[in-house]
Amino acid sequence: MPLTPEAMAASAAAAVAAGATDVHVHPKTPCGRDTLSPRVLAETLTVMRSRVPVPVGVTTGAWAEPDPAARLDRIRGWTVLPDHASVNWHEPGAEEIAAALLDLGVGVEAGIWSGTDGARRFASSRLGPRVLRVLAEVTDTDPATAVASARELLSDLGSAHGRPVLLHGEDGGAWPVLRLAGRLGLATRVGLEDVLTLPDGRRARSNAELVAAGLAEYGR
Protein backbone atom coordinates (compact mmCIF):
# COMPACT_ATOMS: atom_id res chain seq x y z
CA MET A 1 0.00 0.00 0.00
CA PRO A 2 1.61 3.32 -1.04
CA LEU A 3 1.79 5.72 1.91
CA THR A 4 4.14 8.59 1.02
CA PRO A 5 3.33 11.27 -1.58
CA GLU A 6 6.06 9.90 -3.85
CA ALA A 7 4.80 6.32 -3.56
CA MET A 8 1.21 7.43 -4.13
CA ALA A 9 2.21 9.41 -7.20
CA ALA A 10 4.15 6.48 -8.64
CA SER A 11 1.21 4.15 -7.99
CA ALA A 12 -1.20 6.62 -9.58
CA ALA A 13 1.02 7.02 -12.64
CA ALA A 14 1.11 3.24 -13.11
CA ALA A 15 -2.67 3.04 -12.69
CA VAL A 16 -3.19 5.75 -15.31
CA ALA A 17 -0.84 3.90 -17.66
CA ALA A 18 -3.02 0.83 -17.09
CA GLY A 19 -6.14 2.76 -18.12
CA ALA A 20 -7.40 4.77 -15.13
CA THR A 21 -8.90 8.14 -16.11
CA ASP A 22 -9.25 9.62 -12.60
CA VAL A 23 -7.41 9.23 -9.30
CA HIS A 24 -8.81 9.07 -5.77
CA VAL A 25 -6.18 9.43 -3.05
CA HIS A 26 -6.07 9.52 0.75
CA PRO A 27 -3.22 11.84 1.85
CA LYS A 28 -1.52 10.38 4.92
CA THR A 29 0.58 11.39 7.89
CA PRO A 30 4.05 9.84 8.23
CA CYS A 31 2.52 7.14 10.46
CA GLY A 32 0.03 6.20 7.72
CA ARG A 33 -3.13 7.85 9.09
CA ASP A 34 -5.54 9.57 6.70
CA THR A 35 -5.41 13.34 7.16
CA LEU A 36 -6.97 16.56 5.86
CA SER A 37 -3.90 18.59 6.85
CA PRO A 38 -3.38 21.50 4.41
CA ARG A 39 0.39 20.87 4.46
CA VAL A 40 0.12 17.14 3.72
CA LEU A 41 -2.56 17.71 1.11
CA ALA A 42 -0.47 20.34 -0.67
CA GLU A 43 2.58 18.09 -0.77
CA THR A 44 0.60 15.06 -1.94
CA LEU A 45 -1.28 16.90 -4.68
CA THR A 46 1.81 18.71 -5.94
CA VAL A 47 3.78 15.48 -6.31
CA MET A 48 0.75 13.66 -7.74
CA ARG A 49 0.16 16.29 -10.41
CA SER A 50 3.77 16.13 -11.48
CA ARG A 51 3.18 12.50 -12.42
CA VAL A 52 -0.39 12.17 -13.71
CA PRO A 53 -2.39 14.20 -16.28
CA VAL A 54 -5.84 13.16 -15.00
CA PRO A 55 -8.09 14.71 -12.32
CA VAL A 56 -7.06 13.99 -8.74
CA GLY A 57 -9.56 13.74 -5.91
CA VAL A 58 -9.27 13.24 -2.15
CA THR A 59 -11.39 11.97 0.70
CA THR A 60 -13.02 14.10 3.39
CA GLY A 61 -14.10 11.05 5.41
CA ALA A 62 -14.93 11.64 9.06
CA TRP A 63 -12.30 9.06 10.08
CA ALA A 64 -9.63 11.58 8.97
CA GLU A 65 -11.10 14.28 11.26
CA PRO A 66 -14.10 13.18 13.36
CA ASP A 67 -15.16 16.66 14.52
CA PRO A 68 -17.23 18.35 11.77
CA ALA A 69 -16.15 21.87 12.76
CA ALA A 70 -12.47 20.92 12.77
CA ARG A 71 -12.92 19.13 9.45
CA LEU A 72 -14.43 22.28 7.97
CA ASP A 73 -11.55 24.41 9.28
CA ARG A 74 -9.01 22.03 7.74
CA ILE A 75 -10.69 22.15 4.36
CA ARG A 76 -10.98 25.93 4.38
CA GLY A 77 -7.26 26.04 5.07
CA TRP A 78 -6.27 24.06 1.97
CA THR A 79 -3.75 25.99 -0.12
CA VAL A 80 -3.50 23.47 -2.97
CA LEU A 81 -6.90 22.27 -4.10
CA PRO A 82 -7.88 18.85 -5.46
CA ASP A 83 -10.02 18.60 -8.58
CA HIS A 84 -12.73 16.92 -6.53
CA ALA A 85 -13.36 15.52 -3.06
CA SER A 86 -15.72 12.84 -1.80
CA VAL A 87 -18.21 13.78 0.91
CA ASN A 88 -20.06 10.96 2.66
CA TRP A 89 -23.62 12.20 2.95
CA HIS A 90 -24.47 10.09 6.00
CA GLU A 91 -21.70 11.69 8.06
CA PRO A 92 -22.35 14.66 10.37
CA GLY A 93 -21.65 17.99 8.71
CA ALA A 94 -21.83 16.65 5.14
CA GLU A 95 -23.88 19.55 3.77
CA GLU A 96 -21.54 22.14 5.28
CA ILE A 97 -18.46 20.31 4.02
CA ALA A 98 -19.90 20.04 0.51
CA ALA A 99 -20.88 23.73 0.51
CA ALA A 100 -17.37 24.77 1.58
CA LEU A 101 -15.80 22.66 -1.17
CA LEU A 102 -18.10 24.14 -3.80
CA ASP A 103 -17.25 27.64 -2.56
CA LEU A 104 -13.58 26.78 -3.08
CA GLY A 105 -14.28 25.59 -6.62
CA VAL A 106 -13.67 21.93 -5.77
CA GLY A 107 -15.95 19.35 -7.37
CA VAL A 108 -17.96 17.25 -4.93
CA GLU A 109 -18.46 13.50 -5.17
CA ALA A 110 -21.54 12.76 -3.09
CA GLY A 111 -20.68 9.55 -1.28
CA ILE A 112 -23.88 7.55 -0.78
CA TRP A 113 -23.27 4.31 1.11
CA SER A 114 -25.69 1.42 1.16
CA GLY A 115 -26.94 0.59 4.63
CA THR A 116 -27.06 4.27 5.66
CA ASP A 117 -29.56 7.12 5.36
CA GLY A 118 -27.28 8.85 2.85
CA ALA A 119 -29.64 8.41 -0.10
CA ARG A 120 -32.55 9.90 1.83
CA ARG A 121 -30.48 12.87 2.96
CA PHE A 122 -29.10 13.45 -0.52
CA ALA A 123 -32.58 13.36 -2.08
CA SER A 124 -33.57 16.43 -0.07
CA SER A 125 -30.24 18.23 -0.38
CA ARG A 126 -30.26 21.67 -1.98
CA LEU A 127 -26.70 20.95 -3.11
CA GLY A 128 -27.62 17.78 -4.98
CA PRO A 129 -27.89 19.38 -8.43
CA ARG A 130 -24.46 20.99 -7.97
CA VAL A 131 -22.33 17.93 -7.21
CA LEU A 132 -19.89 16.55 -9.76
CA ARG A 133 -21.25 13.02 -9.46
CA VAL A 134 -22.71 10.53 -7.03
CA LEU A 135 -20.31 7.98 -5.60
CA ALA A 136 -22.62 5.02 -4.91
CA GLU A 137 -20.73 2.72 -2.55
CA VAL A 138 -22.05 -0.77 -1.90
CA THR A 139 -20.96 -1.80 1.59
CA ASP A 140 -22.33 -5.34 1.24
CA THR A 141 -19.18 -7.47 0.96
CA ASP A 142 -20.94 -10.77 0.25
CA PRO A 143 -20.40 -11.68 -3.42
CA ALA A 144 -23.73 -13.54 -3.42
CA THR A 145 -25.80 -10.51 -2.40
CA ALA A 146 -23.73 -7.43 -3.34
CA VAL A 147 -25.37 -7.02 -6.76
CA ALA A 148 -28.85 -7.04 -5.22
CA SER A 149 -27.66 -4.49 -2.67
CA ALA A 150 -26.26 -2.37 -5.49
CA ARG A 151 -29.56 -2.42 -7.35
CA GLU A 152 -31.37 -1.46 -4.17
CA LEU A 153 -28.99 1.44 -3.61
CA LEU A 154 -29.48 2.68 -7.17
CA SER A 155 -33.25 2.45 -6.67
CA ASP A 156 -32.97 4.48 -3.46
CA LEU A 157 -30.96 7.11 -5.34
CA GLY A 158 -33.67 7.51 -7.97
CA SER A 159 -32.81 10.32 -10.37
CA ALA A 160 -29.83 11.38 -8.17
CA HIS A 161 -30.64 15.00 -9.03
CA GLY A 162 -29.68 14.18 -12.62
CA ARG A 163 -26.01 13.78 -11.71
CA PRO A 164 -23.74 11.01 -13.10
CA VAL A 165 -23.39 7.94 -10.89
CA LEU A 166 -20.16 6.06 -10.18
CA LEU A 167 -20.99 2.63 -8.74
CA HIS A 168 -18.47 0.52 -6.85
CA GLY A 169 -18.24 -2.18 -4.20
CA GLU A 170 -15.69 -3.40 -1.73
CA ASP A 171 -13.98 -6.60 -0.63
CA GLY A 172 -16.02 -9.62 -1.72
CA GLY A 173 -18.58 -7.41 -3.43
CA ALA A 174 -16.08 -5.36 -5.44
CA TRP A 175 -15.88 -7.47 -8.60
CA PRO A 176 -19.60 -8.38 -8.88
CA VAL A 177 -20.54 -4.71 -8.46
CA LEU A 178 -17.89 -3.58 -10.96
CA ARG A 179 -19.33 -5.98 -13.55
CA LEU A 180 -22.84 -4.67 -12.83
CA ALA A 181 -21.63 -1.09 -13.36
CA GLY A 182 -20.32 -2.15 -16.75
CA ARG A 183 -23.60 -3.78 -17.74
CA LEU A 184 -25.50 -0.65 -16.69
CA GLY A 185 -23.07 1.68 -18.43
CA LEU A 186 -22.09 3.42 -15.19
CA ALA A 187 -18.69 4.70 -14.21
CA THR A 188 -16.83 2.62 -11.65
CA ARG A 189 -13.56 2.47 -9.77
CA VAL A 190 -11.20 -0.12 -8.35
CA GLY A 191 -8.08 0.07 -6.23
CA LEU A 192 -6.44 -1.14 -3.05
CA GLU A 193 -8.87 0.92 -0.96
CA ASP A 194 -11.69 -1.27 -2.24
CA VAL A 195 -10.26 -4.76 -2.77
CA LEU A 196 -6.95 -6.55 -2.27
CA THR A 197 -7.55 -9.54 -4.53
CA LEU A 198 -7.95 -10.03 -8.28
CA PRO A 199 -11.06 -11.68 -9.76
CA ASP A 200 -9.33 -15.08 -9.68
CA GLY A 201 -8.57 -14.71 -5.96
CA ARG A 202 -4.87 -13.93 -6.29
CA ARG A 203 -3.47 -11.13 -4.14
CA ALA A 204 -3.23 -7.90 -6.14
CA ARG A 205 0.29 -6.50 -6.31
CA SER A 206 -0.68 -2.91 -7.15
CA ASN A 207 -3.42 -0.46 -8.04
CA ALA A 208 -2.35 -0.75 -11.67
CA GLU A 209 -2.92 -4.51 -11.63
CA LEU A 210 -6.42 -3.95 -10.25
CA VAL A 211 -7.18 -1.31 -12.89
CA ALA A 212 -6.07 -3.63 -15.69
CA ALA A 213 -8.21 -6.43 -14.26
CA GLY A 214 -11.13 -4.03 -13.84
CA LEU A 215 -11.04 -3.04 -17.50
CA ALA A 216 -11.07 -6.72 -18.46
CA GLU A 217 -14.01 -7.47 -16.15
CA TYR A 218 -16.10 -4.36 -16.92
CA GLY A 219 -19.39 -5.34 -18.49
CA ARG A 220 -18.95 -9.08 -18.10
Side-chain angles (χ1 to χ4, degrees), residues 110-114 134-138 153-154 157 165-169 177:
I112 312 298
W113 293 19
S114 65
V134 173
L135 193 64
E137 181 160 341
V138 181
L153 176 58
L154 292 173
L157 279 169
V165 173
L166 186 157
L167 176 68
H168 76 99
V177 172

Side-chain angles (χ1 to χ4, degrees), residues 86-90 108-113 116 118 133-137:
S86 59
V87 178
N88 299 320
W89 233 258
H90 65 281
V108 171
E109 290 182 305
I112 312 298
W113 293 19
T116 73
R133 60 178 163 242
V134 173
L135 193 64
E137 181 160 341

